């Protein structure tokens, strides 16, 4: 059993290590505007885009301009998405005749997709026309992911540049992230997915008769193409409500592996991009190692919790042991094709990053199994994280770790030779503060007011977990649902919409501001008194800082949800 | 009075005054500068108000518990104030011993009319001129404008040997409180009362002028951020608890907040900073800003004058190298004759060497017809005309010219010898007797004992040392090799230092330098840490941001260590403070929800007796740990120059690991005590 788990976590992880390195180095070339093998095809397209949009590719932006551009682009994306949903009944590619999406739901969905969250308060197959899915949601899947990558590249430049006020050009980074990184990988993935049996068409839903002769409607559509970017861009918004548990979204073990891999790959690869651009690959490896430690630990814990099953069942005489013919463990809410291991691995991956795609119902996990995905997000989405946002979140954490390390060795702290001073600490603390505020305040409100409480499906601590989870995933721009909570209510649509927007854009501002102030500083050459930000001791410190920031803030809340539920379960009480 | 001794850590007098001070520091207007403790004070007040309400409304159920929580919360603030007051008290005590000497001094003020009027030293203003005669105490810092005197500076340096102070040159500055033991000097006062180094230092320690240093500000931001986060946690915990129909009371919520907030480091932060200044004073260094002390810990490059710092002040003759078949004794004899009137240390060392090696005694020159030729920068030689002989010693090219002018021949090997000596870092002096070149004297720089070890220590700390010397590159290189200095700049002029500092700073490095001369002043001002020697000129002392009363150039090592120690102590206590939170969570969270969720008792891993005893124990621990760590805050964490990574691991283990484990044990012990005493 252990061997089986090791193999099924080990293979995707090994593939992640193997593929993230070339991709990371490739991205460094793309954003340094060095030659790549895709240039002959893509450069003409790039030039055409710049000409049409009037972009000066050599024009550099200060951090303020860069942030302004990113915010402007986010606002425009949100508005366009809102309008598309509200007018989808007027537009073509609507064979099912979907009507306009309700205003608050449209607001929430627009916020969700423009922030790379892909929280789905709607059910795709019964709400969205193909036009809304493709032009609206899928294009945002690309653009919001590309925005994240662009911001992370700007943040990297801030640490790498020496005494320069600018961080690059947002429009150029956005275009290159889409054309060079996201598009080509998606084309390949789509083809593989279609080969594996995913549909990709624009036809009306099929109406068939089942063997018993009952009529059944089988929803379909451009699934494979949307599936590719769903994971690659850590978007997570499924074509179908069942997301990656749906056979059309995840038909085979190979697609399951590829989906897990593509969820993690860009977040992981960006660490190598960072190392390459910083001129010290070990810097990238250090962040990669830190992320990997958290990832593997969360996989192991989630698999352990789910495989152990529920003691209450044992007392009923249910055999939860894994055997040759059954996977054992907690099978509630899990697709039988995947079982506890692949489900827990998927859950850990999707919450380690800000993806949010799921292949099982997290609501039905054991308390500890459900705590792991929530805790992953509460750590600030820095374990590989959202494409881009994971890296800059991790860099902010590294700055904090460096500050503490500097104090411990008696030297004003430096990261990549840049001194960390009061201004940076102010921004770091702002970044660190925004996140729990976005989670705890609305969750506190929701747990006492009627409109908040009315959404929960289960009593007791489990219901509390549902509320806490909803705002955690919103602030973390994850979008995975703990289900159980009926979030398509005015209160949740509105509040979660704002939480998602703030979780994305409010947090990008301090990150870019740190980069801006770093870029202006002169790099100090390292001496033997400089604390090395590579190697085991720094990884240990970074892990400790991330754990402390996450655990100290959320321990009280988690104790009242999953933790108390766990001890209750041990005592034979379920919610 | 020798160097100011560090008062005993718990000196009764200082501690007594600190108790009073810690009450005065409760004033929220001053406490607001320490956001962490300000929050504790506000919430303590809130708890007290709730307590009074409960008394008035006659709710007696948990009154005893609430009273104790409120008391310990106030103690937390008071203990933090006490720590700060202790550090201030110790600083003041040290400064006071330095200042004492001055207050009773009388000064002989020279009026415009030339009359002398005896006034009180404290009434002297800048630009006043005073007469100081043998036996008088110099009334204030100033500059000698006339006269030469031997001054006993033991009052400030602890060094009993008198020093010469004279007008002009680099030895013109005098310090208030020192005593003239011979002759007289006229001193122009350079500071107004309250502006002397001592006054500035005392003001820094006393807090009136104490400003937060850059690192202190950054750390305060971190601590404030954490405190805000914990306020958020505690404030949202109330509705979270309501969800499960638990109504949490103000005192327990406040208890949780105060326990989670980084009160340990928040309470000790300013004490650590003041203690850093105190430690400098113990090393006889006066810092003119806390910023300078902090910068000292960060210094990357250290500029050192060769002379006096790396080498003993003077070159010494170590060898006579005869040429052209000349007997060594003849060379030694001529060299000694040429040096008999040479009062420079070099000259004296030649006489001594000739006496030691060749048993040549110094002769009474009065018997002979002797004419001394003193050294001049123009001729670059010195010597003696004696009984028709003209013996000269000096720079090789000048002496050889001297020989040629007298139709002498130049021995072919002499150039090779001169070159060899220069290459070894020595100074070759050629000796000639009229038209005959006799040989070469090898003058050598004597490297200070133990300097190599000190440089190794600096290197281990991550500092790069650069030697500055006016010597030629060959000589400089040899001395650099021998002393173990990292780099050197040869043929330097005073401007070289300034340029070098600017270059290093442009590369983002922090530079420290030590100087004493007036021409060092611009460089001292430019350097991030400029340590002026107390024996140096007034200009140098004004330009630097630290003054070393002992005038010991190697003192920089201690200064750097104190700077690093300051940061490390902050870092260690921050880590300790945050690590403590783990145990406090485990103590308080199960206690808060014991009624609603008895299952959470599984988290009560310390098996604390009752919810009340658990909360109270955590609060008591949180308050007492401040007191327990005052000695560490005042003494500082031990610094070891072992490189950054091992140092971090060590400190993480001690203060991070210790910070996790200690509170589990301590809270359990406190819980057992208060349960046994039936306090709750």
């Amino acid at each position: 059993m252990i061997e089986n788990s090791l193999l099924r976590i080990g293979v995707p992880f090994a593939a992640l290590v193997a593929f993230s390195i070339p991709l990371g180095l490739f991205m460094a070339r793309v954003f340094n505007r060095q030659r790549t093998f895709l240039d002959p095809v893509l450069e003409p397209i790039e030039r055409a885009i710049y000409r049409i949009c009037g972009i000066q590719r050599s024009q550099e932006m200060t951090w303020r301009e860069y942030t302004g551009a990113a915010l402007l682009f986010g606002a425009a994306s949100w508005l366009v998405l809102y309008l598309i949903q509200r007018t989808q009944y007027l537009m073509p590619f609507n064979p099912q005749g979907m009507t306009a999406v309700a205003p608050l739901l449209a607001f929430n969905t627009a916020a969700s997709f423009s922030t790379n969250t892909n929280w789905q308060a709607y059910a795709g197959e019964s709400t969205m026309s193909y036009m809304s899915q493709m032009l609206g949601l899928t294009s945002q899947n690309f653009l919001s992911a590309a925005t994240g990558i662009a911001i992370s590249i700007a943040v990297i430049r801030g640490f790498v540049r020496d005494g320069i006020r600018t961080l690059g050009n947002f429009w150029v980074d956005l275009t290159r992230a889409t054309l060079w990184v996201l598009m080509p990988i998606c084309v390949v993935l789509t083809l593989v997915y279609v080969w594996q049996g995913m549909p990709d068409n624009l036809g009306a839903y099929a109406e068939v008769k089942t063997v018993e002769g009952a009529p059944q409607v089988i929803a379909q559509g451009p699934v494979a193409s949307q599936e590719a970017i769903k994971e690659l861009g850590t978007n997570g918004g499924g074509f179908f409500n069942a997301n990656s548990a749906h056979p059309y979204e995840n038909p085979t073990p190979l697609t399951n592996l590829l989906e897990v891999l593509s969820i993690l790959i860009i977040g992981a690869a960006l660490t190598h991009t960072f190392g390459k651009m910083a001129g010290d690959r070990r810097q990238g490896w250090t962040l990669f190692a830190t992320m990997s430690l958290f990832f593997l630990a969360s996989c192991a814990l989630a698999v352990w919790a789910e495989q152990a099953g529920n003691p209450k069942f044992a007392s009923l005489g249910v055999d939860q042991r894994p055997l040759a013919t059954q996977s054992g463990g907690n099978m509630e809410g899990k697709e039988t094709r995947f079982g506890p291991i692949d489900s827990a691995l998927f859950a850990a991956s999707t919450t380690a990053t800000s993806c949010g795609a799921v292949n099982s119902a997290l609501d039905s996990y054991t308390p500890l199994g459900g705590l792991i995905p929530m805790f992953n997000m509460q750590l600030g989405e820095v374990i590989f994280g959202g494409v881009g946002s994971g890296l800059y979140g991790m860099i902010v954490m590294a700055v904090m770790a460096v500050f503490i390390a500097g104090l411990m060795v008696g030297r004003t702290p430096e990261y990549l030779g840049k001194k960390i001073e009061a201004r940076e600490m102010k921004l770091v603390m702002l970044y660190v503060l925004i996140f729990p505020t976005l989670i705890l305040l609305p969750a506190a409100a929701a747990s006492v007011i009627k409109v908040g409480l009315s959404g929960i499906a289960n009593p007791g601590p489990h219901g509390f977990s549902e509320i806490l989870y909803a705002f955690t995933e919103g602030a973390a721009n994850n979008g995975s649902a703990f289900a159980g909570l009926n979030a398509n209510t005015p209160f949740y649509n509105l509040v979660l919409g704002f939480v998602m927007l703030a979780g994305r854009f409010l947090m990008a501002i301090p990150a870019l501001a740190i980069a801006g102030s770093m870029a202006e500083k002169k790099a100090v050459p390292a001496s033997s008194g400089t604390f090395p930000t590579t190697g085991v001791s720094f990884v240990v410190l970074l892990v400790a800082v991330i754990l402390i920031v996450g655990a100290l803030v959320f321990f009280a809340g988690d104790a009242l949800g999953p933790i108390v539920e766990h001890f209750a379960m041990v005592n034979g009480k379920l919610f | 009075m020798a160097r100011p001794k560090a008062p005993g850590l718990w000196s009764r007098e200082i501690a007594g005054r600190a108790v009073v001070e810690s009450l005065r520091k409760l004033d929220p207007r001053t406490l607001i500068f320490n956001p962490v403790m300000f929050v504790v004070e506000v919430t303590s007040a809130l708890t007290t108000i709730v307590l009074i309400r409960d008394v008035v409304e006659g709710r007696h159920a948990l009154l005893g518990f609430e009273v104790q929580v409120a008391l310990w919360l106030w103690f937390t603030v008071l203990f933090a104030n006490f720590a700060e007051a202790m550090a201030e008290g110790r600083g003041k005590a040290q400064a006071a011993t330095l200042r004492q000497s001055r207050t009773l001094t009388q000064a002989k003020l020279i009026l415009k009319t030339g009359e002398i009027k005896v006034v009180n030293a404290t009434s002297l203003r800048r630009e006043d001129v005073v007469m100081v005669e043998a036996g008088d105490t110099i009334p204030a810092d100033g500059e000698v404008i006339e006269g030469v005197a031997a001054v006993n500076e033991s009052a400030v340096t602890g060094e009993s040997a008198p020093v010469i102070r004279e007008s002009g040159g680099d030895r013109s500055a005098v310090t208030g409180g020192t005593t003239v033991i011979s002759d007289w000097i006229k001193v122009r006062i350079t500071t107004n009362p309250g502006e002397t180094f001592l006054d500035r230092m005392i003001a820094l320690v006393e807090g009136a002028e104490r400003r937060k240093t850059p690192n202190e500000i950054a750390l305060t931001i971190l601590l404030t951020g954490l405190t805000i986060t914990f306020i958020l946690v505690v404030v949202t915990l109330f509705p979270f608890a309501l969800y499960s129909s638990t109504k949490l009371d103000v005192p327990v919520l406040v208890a949780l907040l105060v326990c989670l907030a980084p009160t340990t480091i928040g309470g000790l932060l300013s004490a650590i900073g003041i203690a850093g200044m105190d430690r400098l004073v113990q090393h006889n260094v006066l810092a003119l800003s806390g910023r300078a002390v902090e910068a000292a810990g960060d210094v990357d490059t250290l500029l050192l004058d060769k002379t006096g710092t790396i080498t003993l002040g003077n070159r010494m003759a170590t060898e006579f190298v005869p040429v052209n078949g000349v007997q060594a004794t003849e060379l030694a004899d001529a060299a000694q004759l040429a040096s008999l009137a040479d009062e420079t240390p070099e000259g004296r060392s030649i006489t001594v060497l000739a006496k030691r090696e060749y048993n040549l005694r110094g002769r009474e020159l009065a018997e002979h017809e002797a004419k001394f030729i003193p050294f001049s920068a123009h001729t670059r030689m010195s010597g003696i005309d004696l009984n028709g002989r003209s013996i000269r010693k000096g720079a090789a090219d000048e002496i050889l010219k001297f020989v040629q002018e007298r139709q002498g021949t130049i021995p072919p090997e002499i150039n090779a010898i001169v070159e060899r000596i220069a290459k070894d870092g020595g100074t070759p002096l050629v000796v000639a007797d009229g038209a005959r070149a006799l040989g070469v004297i090898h003058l050598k720089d004597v490297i200070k004992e133990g300097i190599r070890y000190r440089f190794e220590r600096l290197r281990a700390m991550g500092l790069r040392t650069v030697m500055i010397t006016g010597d030629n590159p060959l000589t400089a290189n040899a001395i650099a090799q021998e002393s173990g200095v990292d780099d050197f700049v040869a043929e330097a002029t005073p401007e070289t230092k300034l340029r070098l500092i600017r270059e290093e700073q442009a590369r983002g490095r922090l530079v420290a330098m030590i100087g004493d001369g007036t021409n060092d002043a611009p460089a001292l001002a430019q350097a991030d840490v400029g340590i002026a020697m107390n024996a140096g000129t007034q200009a140098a002392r004004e330009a630097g941001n630290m003054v070393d009363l002992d005038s010991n150039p190697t003192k920089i090592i201690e200064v750097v260590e104190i700077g690093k120690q300051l940061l490390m102590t902050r870092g260690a206590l921050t880590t300790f403070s945050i690590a403590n939170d783990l145990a406090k969570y485990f103590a308080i969270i199960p206690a808060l929800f014991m009624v609603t969720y008895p299952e959470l008792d599984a988290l009560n891993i310390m098996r604390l007796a009752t919810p009340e005893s658990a909360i109270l124990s955590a609060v008591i621990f949180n308050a007492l740990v401040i007191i327990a760590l005052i000695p560490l805050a005042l003494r500082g964490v031990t610094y070891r120059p072992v490189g950054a990574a091992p140092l971090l691991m060590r400190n993480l283990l001690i203060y991070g690991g210790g910070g996790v484990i200690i509170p589990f044990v301590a809270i359990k012990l406190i819980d057992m005590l208060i349960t046994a005493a039936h306090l709750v």
Side-chain angles (χ1 to χ4, degrees), chain B residues 555-575:
Chain B
K555 191 74 79 59
I556 181 72
I557 295 178
E558 278 84 15
V559 173
V560 169
E561 282 188 1
I562 288 169
K564 287 197 179 291
Q565 212 179 19
L566 183 70
L567 290 183
M568 276 171 52
T569 310
R570 283 185 198 143
L573 291 181
T574 305
T575 311

Side-chain angles (χ1 to χ4, degrees), chain A residues 407-408 411-412 460 528 552, chain B residues 243 298 300 459 568 585 651:
Chain A
L407 286 181
M408 298 271 270
R411 200 181 154 84
T412 297
S528 66
L552 288 187
Chain B
Y243 171 89
D298 264 354
D300 303 280
R459 204 167 306 122
M568 276 171 52
Y585 256 132
N651 285 342

Side-chain angles (χ1 to χ4, degrees), chain A residues 14 18 21-22 42 62 98 135 185 192 239 250 271 300 312 368 452 474 495 506 516 529 538 563:
Chain A
I21 299 170
L42 296 175
T62 64
M98 304 283 186
L135 183 70
I185 303 177
V192 175
F239 193 88
N250 195 358
T271 60
K312 190 99 182 203
L368 287 186
V495 177
L506 216 51
F538 189 67
I563 295 175

Side-chain angles (χ1 to χ4, degrees), chain B residues 5 50 78 83 134 136 168 191 234 273 296 347 354 370 408 541 543 573 612 662:
Chain B
K5 280 209 189 66
V50 170
L78 286 173
D136 290 350
T191 48
V234 170
R541 302 198 315 188
L573 291 181
E612 288 74 32
I662 289 170

Side-chain angles (χ1 to χ4, degrees), chain B residues 644-668:
Chain B
L647 197 62
L648 177 83
M649 271 321 224
R650 191 190 130 86
N651 285 342
L652 262 187
L653 211 64
I654 297 177
Y655 299 101
V660 169
I661 297 162
I662 289 170
F664 277 104
V665 180
I667 291 176
K668 176 68 187 167

